[in-house]
Amino acid sequence: MKKIKVGYLPLYIKLYDDNKQDRTPLLRYMNTLVQMLESQELEIVMADEVCRVREEFDRAAKKFNDADVDAVITQHLAYSPSLESIDALLSLNAPIIVFDTTPDYSLIKTANYKNCIDNDHGIHGVQDMCCMLKKKHKPYYICAGHALHGAVLSRVVGMCRAAAAAKAFVTERIGSVGGSFTGMGDFLISDEALKSSIGAAVFHMTPDVTKAYLDKVTEAEIDAELALDSTKYNVAAACEPAYREATRAGLAVRKWMAAEKLDACTVNFLTLDQCGLPKMPFPECCKLLEHGKGYAGEGDVLTAGLVGALIQVYPDTSFVEMFCPDWEQNVILLSHMAESNPNLAQWKPLLTDMRFRYNSCGDTVGMYCCYRPGDVVYVNLAPMDGCFRLIVTKGKILDAGLERGAYGKNTQGWFKPCKPLPAFLEEYSMAGGTHHSAMVYHADVEEIKAFGRMMGFEVYEIR
């Protein structure tokens, strides 16, 4: 996973420099914060100077835009008049994250707290700036607190992650193998609408393209892939011809995605034979997720793009679907035909023969796993009339169900939602959730909500 690139903008007032006030403690605190952020895998692009007047802010904004940063963190070292910075802030291409913090943790217990005022009064500069941003309808995200007490620094990093995921989505390149699933309407969106509304572009694997990339796959490459499979998965495929052809199909898709620099892909199992693929490449669908690419089934470019954006920042992400309810235990079986992220498996995934009668390609091989237990955020993106709704909810994957032997030819995860199952399912469908989603392990739901807001989505949380 590449580092998140973030601009860092320190704000100050020229009046204090003219008055010969000492900046040293403020710069020391700022440098400490920058080092702490860098330790959290952020690449910090510093403004060339502590910014005080319009020209300095303009230079910093240009530097950040030229560097194509994912977000810009602001820190008020002291009060800074908003009219000096507002035009530069409005010109930023990246989300603004306001780090509202000061060097001293406690004042009231300090005998000579008046001596601290010069170093600790930046909060009203934040208020001046944020008021102007609100007036100008410029979105911003604020994180307030002392960096060494509480979770404010983690929240700043989380907002940077959200910004990076949003940037990934708007620049994404998504592959489509077999087009959309006829009659499946909930997540359906045209290539043109996806491009104009989000920015992601769709590329189709046509029959001519398929043939060209199938011809590039060698028997030696298939042998090498099968050998690698044997080290990573529990391989129990008895029909070697089907296994080799499924691998050939998968490698052709992989080569095509690499050549086109695709970030995600979706495969429609009903029509992939019309593209010219010899078998349904279920193992490669799983490996896409394993390698940090987005995936969704049945020609769903929207959810493939969602998964692709999230997985670039949150590697423990998978494409999922709610399959069956267990009313007694208040849990839902998450499953799909044979697609999941192998990195999230509790044990080695099983790669084995799969009976397949949905198109002319015939039997293939599938990869199956059981999701490991843990806290998750379930994320759904639903196209509405003229907008998108991001539905998010917290839940858990349970260590349950294996004693019944379901793990075998069935991918499974037992999802316990945040409220009783009937109420959860009612609220999910009343919110308009689609039947394809993303699941992210150990994520902060507030970060995922911030990602949605940065994308301009309507955000709905099921609590």
Side-chain angles (χ1 to χ4, degrees), residues 237 239-248 279-280 353-354 362-365:
C239 183
E240 185 173 353
Y243 184 15
R244 292 186 70 85
E245 288 306 290
T247 303
R248 186 188 309 277
K279 295 289 180 186
M280 176 62 196
D353 304 297
M354 180 180 186
D363 294 346
T364 184
V365 293

mmCIF file with all atom_site columns, all heavy atoms in Angstrom, residues 237 239-248 279-280 353-354 362-365:
data_model
loop_
_atom_site.group_PDB
_atom_site.id
_atom_site.type_symbol
_atom_site.label_atom_id
_atom_site.label_alt_id
_atom_site.label_comp_id
_atom_site.label_asym_id
_atom_site.label_entity_id
_atom_site.label_seq_id
_atom_site.pdbx_PDB_ins_code
_atom_site.Cartn_x
_atom_site.Cartn_y
_atom_site.Cartn_z
_atom_site.occupancy
_atom_site.B_iso_or_equiv
_atom_site.pdbx_formal_charge
_atom_site.auth_seq_id
_atom_site.auth_comp_id
_atom_site.auth_asym_id
_atom_site.auth_atom_id
_atom_site.pdbx_PDB_model_num
ATOM 1   N N   . ALA A 1 237 ? -8.374  -29.692 -6.585  1.00 0.00 ? 237 ALA A N   1
ATOM 2   C CA  . ALA A 1 237 ? -9.003  -29.782 -7.907  1.00 0.00 ? 237 ALA A CA  1
ATOM 3   C C   . ALA A 1 237 ? -8.575  -31.074 -8.589  1.00 0.00 ? 237 ALA A C   1
ATOM 4   O O   . ALA A 1 237 ? -7.386  -31.292 -8.832  1.00 0.00 ? 237 ALA A O   1
ATOM 5   C CB  . ALA A 1 237 ? -8.609  -28.581 -8.751  1.00 0.00 ? 237 ALA A CB  1
ATOM 6   N N   . CYS A 1 239 ? -9.988  -32.219 -11.604 1.00 0.00 ? 239 CYS A N   1
ATOM 7   C CA  . CYS A 1 239 ? -10.069 -32.109 -13.060 1.00 0.00 ? 239 CYS A CA  1
ATOM 8   C C   . CYS A 1 239 ? -9.012  -31.112 -13.546 1.00 0.00 ? 239 CYS A C   1
ATOM 9   O O   . CYS A 1 239 ? -9.259  -29.901 -13.593 1.00 0.00 ? 239 CYS A O   1
ATOM 10  C CB  . CYS A 1 239 ? -11.471 -31.668 -13.487 1.00 0.00 ? 239 CYS A CB  1
ATOM 11  S SG  . CYS A 1 239 ? -11.683 -31.582 -15.272 1.00 0.00 ? 239 CYS A SG  1
ATOM 12  N N   . GLU A 1 240 ? -7.835  -31.630 -13.896 1.00 0.00 ? 240 GLU A N   1
ATOM 13  C CA  . GLU A 1 240 ? -6.741  -30.738 -14.256 1.00 0.00 ? 240 GLU A CA  1
ATOM 14  C C   . GLU A 1 240 ? -7.032  -29.904 -15.502 1.00 0.00 ? 240 GLU A C   1
ATOM 15  O O   . GLU A 1 240 ? -6.685  -28.721 -15.536 1.00 0.00 ? 240 GLU A O   1
ATOM 16  C CB  . GLU A 1 240 ? -5.441  -31.522 -14.442 1.00 0.00 ? 240 GLU A CB  1
ATOM 17  C CG  . GLU A 1 240 ? -4.256  -30.604 -14.700 1.00 0.00 ? 240 GLU A CG  1
ATOM 18  C CD  . GLU A 1 240 ? -2.934  -31.340 -14.723 1.00 0.00 ? 240 GLU A CD  1
ATOM 19  O OE1 . GLU A 1 240 ? -2.909  -32.545 -14.411 1.00 0.00 ? 240 GLU A OE1 1
ATOM 20  O OE2 . GLU A 1 240 ? -1.916  -30.702 -15.067 1.00 0.00 ? 240 GLU A OE2 1
ATOM 21  N N   . PRO A 1 241 ? -7.679  -30.455 -16.560 1.00 0.00 ? 241 PRO A N   1
ATOM 22  C CA  . PRO A 1 241 ? -7.961  -29.608 -17.727 1.00 0.00 ? 241 PRO A CA  1
ATOM 23  C C   . PRO A 1 241 ? -8.802  -28.382 -17.376 1.00 0.00 ? 241 PRO A C   1
ATOM 24  O O   . PRO A 1 241 ? -8.518  -27.274 -17.842 1.00 0.00 ? 241 PRO A O   1
ATOM 25  C CB  . PRO A 1 241 ? -8.700  -30.556 -18.674 1.00 0.00 ? 241 PRO A CB  1
ATOM 26  C CG  . PRO A 1 241 ? -8.211  -31.914 -18.303 1.00 0.00 ? 241 PRO A CG  1
ATOM 27  C CD  . PRO A 1 241 ? -8.035  -31.878 -16.823 1.00 0.00 ? 241 PRO A CD  1
ATOM 28  N N   . ALA A 1 242 ? -9.844  -28.574 -16.554 1.00 0.00 ? 242 ALA A N   1
ATOM 29  C CA  . ALA A 1 242 ? -10.678 -27.436 -16.163 1.00 0.00 ? 242 ALA A CA  1
ATOM 30  C C   . ALA A 1 242 ? -9.876  -26.437 -15.324 1.00 0.00 ? 242 ALA A C   1
ATOM 31  O O   . ALA A 1 242 ? -10.014 -25.213 -15.483 1.00 0.00 ? 242 ALA A O   1
ATOM 32  C CB  . ALA A 1 242 ? -11.898 -27.920 -15.386 1.00 0.00 ? 242 ALA A CB  1
ATOM 33  N N   . TYR A 1 243 ? -9.034  -26.952 -14.439 1.00 0.00 ? 243 TYR A N   1
ATOM 34  C CA  . TYR A 1 243 ? -8.208  -26.095 -13.594 1.00 0.00 ? 243 TYR A CA  1
ATOM 35  C C   . TYR A 1 243 ? -7.250  -25.265 -14.445 1.00 0.00 ? 243 TYR A C   1
ATOM 36  O O   . TYR A 1 243 ? -7.095  -24.050 -14.241 1.00 0.00 ? 243 TYR A O   1
ATOM 37  C CB  . TYR A 1 243 ? -7.460  -26.979 -12.590 1.00 0.00 ? 243 TYR A CB  1
ATOM 38  C CG  . TYR A 1 243 ? -6.619  -26.286 -11.556 1.00 0.00 ? 243 TYR A CG  1
ATOM 39  C CD1 . TYR A 1 243 ? -6.740  -24.925 -11.280 1.00 0.00 ? 243 TYR A CD1 1
ATOM 40  C CD2 . TYR A 1 243 ? -5.671  -27.015 -10.834 1.00 0.00 ? 243 TYR A CD2 1
ATOM 41  C CE1 . TYR A 1 243 ? -5.959  -24.316 -10.317 1.00 0.00 ? 243 TYR A CE1 1
ATOM 42  C CE2 . TYR A 1 243 ? -4.876  -26.411 -9.863  1.00 0.00 ? 243 TYR A CE2 1
ATOM 43  C CZ  . TYR A 1 243 ? -5.024  -25.054 -9.616  1.00 0.00 ? 243 TYR A CZ  1
ATOM 44  O OH  . TYR A 1 243 ? -4.248  -24.452 -8.657  1.00 0.00 ? 243 TYR A OH  1
ATOM 45  N N   . ARG A 1 244 ? -6.626  -25.899 -15.414 1.00 0.00 ? 244 ARG A N   1
ATOM 46  C CA  . ARG A 1 244 ? -5.676  -25.179 -16.265 1.00 0.00 ? 244 ARG A CA  1
ATOM 47  C C   . ARG A 1 244 ? -6.390  -24.125 -17.116 1.00 0.00 ? 244 ARG A C   1
ATOM 48  O O   . ARG A 1 244 ? -5.881  -23.007 -17.289 1.00 0.00 ? 244 ARG A O   1
ATOM 49  C CB  . ARG A 1 244 ? -4.909  -26.154 -17.167 1.00 0.00 ? 244 ARG A CB  1
ATOM 50  C CG  . ARG A 1 244 ? -3.954  -27.071 -16.417 1.00 0.00 ? 244 ARG A CG  1
ATOM 51  C CD  . ARG A 1 244 ? -3.113  -27.919 -17.380 1.00 0.00 ? 244 ARG A CD  1
ATOM 52  N NE  . ARG A 1 244 ? -2.136  -27.097 -18.104 1.00 0.00 ? 244 ARG A NE  1
ATOM 53  C CZ  . ARG A 1 244 ? -0.929  -26.776 -17.638 1.00 0.00 ? 244 ARG A CZ  1
ATOM 54  N NH1 . ARG A 1 244 ? -0.545  -27.196 -16.446 1.00 0.00 ? 244 ARG A NH1 1
ATOM 55  N NH2 . ARG A 1 244 ? -0.107  -26.047 -18.368 1.00 0.00 ? 244 ARG A NH2 1
ATOM 56  N N   . GLU A 1 245 ? -7.566  -24.457 -17.626 1.00 0.00 ? 245 GLU A N   1
ATOM 57  C CA  . GLU A 1 245 ? -8.278  -23.488 -18.474 1.00 0.00 ? 245 GLU A CA  1
ATOM 58  C C   . GLU A 1 245 ? -8.827  -22.328 -17.650 1.00 0.00 ? 245 GLU A C   1
ATOM 59  O O   . GLU A 1 245 ? -8.851  -21.185 -18.118 1.00 0.00 ? 245 GLU A O   1
ATOM 60  C CB  . GLU A 1 245 ? -9.392  -24.187 -19.255 1.00 0.00 ? 245 GLU A CB  1
ATOM 61  C CG  . GLU A 1 245 ? -8.882  -25.092 -20.375 1.00 0.00 ? 245 GLU A CG  1
ATOM 62  C CD  . GLU A 1 245 ? -7.954  -24.334 -21.330 1.00 0.00 ? 245 GLU A CD  1
ATOM 63  O OE1 . GLU A 1 245 ? -8.446  -23.473 -22.073 1.00 0.00 ? 245 GLU A OE1 1
ATOM 64  O OE2 . GLU A 1 245 ? -6.725  -24.601 -21.317 1.00 0.00 ? 245 GLU A OE2 1
ATOM 65  N N   . ALA A 1 246 ? -9.261  -22.616 -16.433 1.00 0.00 ? 246 ALA A N   1
ATOM 66  C CA  . ALA A 1 246 ? -9.695  -21.521 -15.555 1.00 0.00 ? 246 ALA A CA  1
ATOM 67  C C   . ALA A 1 246 ? -8.518  -20.615 -15.226 1.00 0.00 ? 246 ALA A C   1
ATOM 68  O O   . ALA A 1 246 ? -8.654  -19.381 -15.160 1.00 0.00 ? 246 ALA A O   1
ATOM 69  C CB  . ALA A 1 246 ? -10.310 -22.087 -14.275 1.00 0.00 ? 246 ALA A CB  1
ATOM 70  N N   . THR A 1 247 ? -7.348  -21.212 -15.048 1.00 0.00 ? 247 THR A N   1
ATOM 71  C CA  . THR A 1 247 ? -6.145  -20.434 -14.778 1.00 0.00 ? 247 THR A CA  1
ATOM 72  C C   . THR A 1 247 ? -5.739  -19.633 -16.003 1.00 0.00 ? 247 THR A C   1
ATOM 73  O O   . THR A 1 247 ? -5.326  -18.467 -15.895 1.00 0.00 ? 247 THR A O   1
ATOM 74  C CB  . THR A 1 247 ? -5.002  -21.359 -14.336 1.00 0.00 ? 247 THR A CB  1
ATOM 75  O OG1 . THR A 1 247 ? -5.421  -22.096 -13.175 1.00 0.00 ? 247 THR A OG1 1
ATOM 76  C CG2 . THR A 1 247 ? -3.749  -20.572 -14.002 1.00 0.00 ? 247 THR A CG2 1
ATOM 77  N N   . ARG A 1 248 ? -5.858  -20.229 -17.179 1.00 0.00 ? 248 ARG A N   1
ATOM 78  C CA  . ARG A 1 248 ? -5.552  -19.508 -18.422 1.00 0.00 ? 248 ARG A CA  1
ATOM 79  C C   . ARG A 1 248 ? -6.461  -18.273 -18.541 1.00 0.00 ? 248 ARG A C   1
ATOM 80  O O   . ARG A 1 248 ? -5.993  -17.165 -18.855 1.00 0.00 ? 248 ARG A O   1
ATOM 81  C CB  . ARG A 1 248 ? -5.754  -20.420 -19.633 1.00 0.00 ? 248 ARG A CB  1
ATOM 82  C CG  . ARG A 1 248 ? -5.303  -19.785 -20.962 1.00 0.00 ? 248 ARG A CG  1
ATOM 83  C CD  . ARG A 1 248 ? -5.710  -20.641 -22.162 1.00 0.00 ? 248 ARG A CD  1
ATOM 84  N NE  . ARG A 1 248 ? -5.299  -22.020 -22.014 1.00 0.00 ? 248 ARG A NE  1
ATOM 85  C CZ  . ARG A 1 248 ? -4.072  -22.474 -22.298 1.00 0.00 ? 248 ARG A CZ  1
ATOM 86  N NH1 . ARG A 1 248 ? -3.153  -21.633 -22.729 1.00 0.00 ? 248 ARG A NH1 1
ATOM 87  N NH2 . ARG A 1 248 ? -3.777  -23.747 -22.138 1.00 0.00 ? 248 ARG A NH2 1
ATOM 88  N N   . LYS A 1 279 ? -13.171 -20.528 -19.421 1.00 0.00 ? 279 LYS A N   1
ATOM 89  C CA  . LYS A 1 279 ? -13.785 -20.948 -18.164 1.00 0.00 ? 279 LYS A CA  1
ATOM 90  C C   . LYS A 1 279 ? -14.063 -19.714 -17.311 1.00 0.00 ? 279 LYS A C   1
ATOM 91  O O   . LYS A 1 279 ? -13.427 -18.667 -17.468 1.00 0.00 ? 279 LYS A O   1
ATOM 92  C CB  . LYS A 1 279 ? -12.856 -21.887 -17.367 1.00 0.00 ? 279 LYS A CB  1
ATOM 93  C CG  . LYS A 1 279 ? -12.567 -23.233 -18.025 1.00 0.00 ? 279 LYS A CG  1
ATOM 94  C CD  . LYS A 1 279 ? -13.789 -24.143 -18.018 1.00 0.00 ? 279 LYS A CD  1
ATOM 95  C CE  . LYS A 1 279 ? -13.483 -25.477 -18.689 1.00 0.00 ? 279 LYS A CE  1
ATOM 96  N NZ  . LYS A 1 279 ? -14.706 -26.318 -18.820 1.00 0.00 ? 279 LYS A NZ  1
ATOM 97  N N   . MET A 1 280 ? -14.980 -19.851 -16.368 1.00 0.00 ? 280 MET A N   1
ATOM 98  C CA  . MET A 1 280 ? -15.193 -18.796 -15.389 1.00 0.00 ? 280 MET A CA  1
ATOM 99  C C   . MET A 1 280 ? -13.991 -18.773 -14.441 1.00 0.00 ? 280 MET A C   1
ATOM 100 O O   . MET A 1 280 ? -13.724 -19.755 -13.735 1.00 0.00 ? 280 MET A O   1
ATOM 101 C CB  . MET A 1 280 ? -16.485 -19.050 -14.607 1.00 0.00 ? 280 MET A CB  1
ATOM 102 C CG  . MET A 1 280 ? -16.755 -18.047 -13.498 1.00 0.00 ? 280 MET A CG  1
ATOM 103 S SD  . MET A 1 280 ? -16.974 -16.348 -14.095 1.00 0.00 ? 280 MET A SD  1
ATOM 104 C CE  . MET A 1 280 ? -16.781 -15.433 -12.563 1.00 0.00 ? 280 MET A CE  1
ATOM 105 N N   . ASP A 1 353 ? -12.789 -28.407 -7.535  1.00 0.00 ? 353 ASP A N   1
ATOM 106 C CA  . ASP A 1 353 ? -13.679 -28.504 -8.704  1.00 0.00 ? 353 ASP A CA  1
ATOM 107 C C   . ASP A 1 353 ? -15.026 -27.851 -8.411  1.00 0.00 ? 353 ASP A C   1
ATOM 108 O O   . ASP A 1 353 ? -15.525 -27.894 -7.281  1.00 0.00 ? 353 ASP A O   1
ATOM 109 C CB  . ASP A 1 353 ? -13.896 -29.967 -9.074  1.00 0.00 ? 353 ASP A CB  1
ATOM 110 C CG  . ASP A 1 353 ? -12.596 -30.704 -9.335  1.00 0.00 ? 353 ASP A CG  1
ATOM 111 O OD1 . ASP A 1 353 ? -11.884 -30.331 -10.275 1.00 0.00 ? 353 ASP A OD1 1
ATOM 112 O OD2 . ASP A 1 353 ? -12.294 -31.633 -8.563  1.00 0.00 ? 353 ASP A OD2 1
ATOM 113 N N   . MET A 1 354 ? -15.621 -27.291 -9.466  1.00 0.00 ? 354 MET A N   1
ATOM 114 C CA  . MET A 1 354 ? -16.899 -26.606 -9.298  1.00 0.00 ? 354 MET A CA  1
ATOM 115 C C   . MET A 1 354 ? -17.818 -26.944 -10.469 1.00 0.00 ? 354 MET A C   1
ATOM 116 O O   . MET A 1 354 ? -17.480 -26.718 -11.631 1.00 0.00 ? 354 MET A O   1
ATOM 117 C CB  . MET A 1 354 ? -16.688 -25.089 -9.240  1.00 0.00 ? 354 MET A CB  1
ATOM 118 C CG  . MET A 1 354 ? -17.949 -24.287 -9.059  1.00 0.00 ? 354 MET A CG  1
ATOM 119 S SD  . MET A 1 354 ? -17.568 -22.513 -8.998  1.00 0.00 ? 354 MET A SD  1
ATOM 120 C CE  . MET A 1 354 ? -19.176 -21.851 -8.598  1.00 0.00 ? 354 MET A CE  1
ATOM 121 N N   . GLY A 1 362 ? -18.891 -24.554 -19.180 1.00 0.00 ? 362 GLY A N   1
ATOM 122 C CA  . GLY A 1 362 ? -18.882 -25.805 -18.423 1.00 0.00 ? 362 GLY A CA  1
ATOM 123 C C   . GLY A 1 362 ? -18.179 -25.691 -17.080 1.00 0.00 ? 362 GLY A C   1
ATOM 124 O O   . GLY A 1 362 ? -17.869 -24.603 -16.587 1.00 0.00 ? 362 GLY A O   1
ATOM 125 N N   . ASP A 1 363 ? -17.918 -26.856 -16.481 1.00 0.00 ? 363 ASP A N   1
ATOM 126 C CA  . ASP A 1 363 ? -17.367 -26.919 -15.129 1.00 0.00 ? 363 ASP A CA  1
ATOM 127 C C   . ASP A 1 363 ? -16.033 -26.189 -15.043 1.00 0.00 ? 363 ASP A C   1
ATOM 128 O O   . ASP A 1 363 ? -15.253 -26.137 -16.002 1.00 0.00 ? 363 ASP A O   1
ATOM 129 C CB  . ASP A 1 363 ? -17.191 -28.368 -14.689 1.00 0.00 ? 363 ASP A CB  1
ATOM 130 C CG  . ASP A 1 363 ? -18.524 -29.096 -14.545 1.00 0.00 ? 363 ASP A CG  1
ATOM 131 O OD1 . ASP A 1 363 ? -19.565 -28.402 -14.525 1.00 0.00 ? 363 ASP A OD1 1
ATOM 132 O OD2 . ASP A 1 363 ? -18.518 -30.336 -14.453 1.00 0.00 ? 363 ASP A OD2 1
ATOM 133 N N   . THR A 1 364 ? -15.766 -25.648 -13.851 1.00 0.00 ? 364 THR A N   1
ATOM 134 C CA  . THR A 1 364 ? -14.562 -24.858 -13.632 1.00 0.00 ? 364 THR A CA  1
ATOM 135 C C   . THR A 1 364 ? -13.998 -25.211 -12.261 1.00 0.00 ? 364 THR A C   1
ATOM 136 O O   . THR A 1 364 ? -14.266 -26.295 -11.734 1.00 0.00 ? 364 THR A O   1
ATOM 137 C CB  . THR A 1 364 ? -14.887 -23.347 -13.761 1.00 0.00 ? 364 THR A CB  1
ATOM 138 O OG1 . THR A 1 364 ? -13.695 -22.590 -13.639 1.00 0.00 ? 364 THR A OG1 1
ATOM 139 C CG2 . THR A 1 364 ? -15.908 -22.882 -12.748 1.00 0.00 ? 364 THR A CG2 1
ATOM 140 N N   . VAL A 1 365 ? -13.218 -24.331 -11.684 1.00 0.00 ? 365 VAL A N   1
ATOM 141 C CA  . VAL A 1 365 ? -12.763 -24.495 -10.304 1.00 0.00 ? 365 VAL A CA  1
ATOM 142 C C   . VAL A 1 365 ? -13.158 -23.248 -9.527  1.00 0.00 ? 365 VAL A C   1
ATOM 143 O O   . VAL A 1 365 ? -13.267 -22.149 -10.089 1.00 0.00 ? 365 VAL A O   1
ATOM 144 C CB  . VAL A 1 365 ? -11.239 -24.728 -10.195 1.00 0.00 ? 365 VAL A CB  1
ATOM 145 C CG1 . VAL A 1 365 ? -10.849 -26.062 -10.801 1.00 0.00 ? 365 VAL A CG1 1
ATOM 146 C CG2 . VAL A 1 365 ? -10.472 -23.600 -10.852 1.00 0.00 ? 365 VAL A CG2 1
#
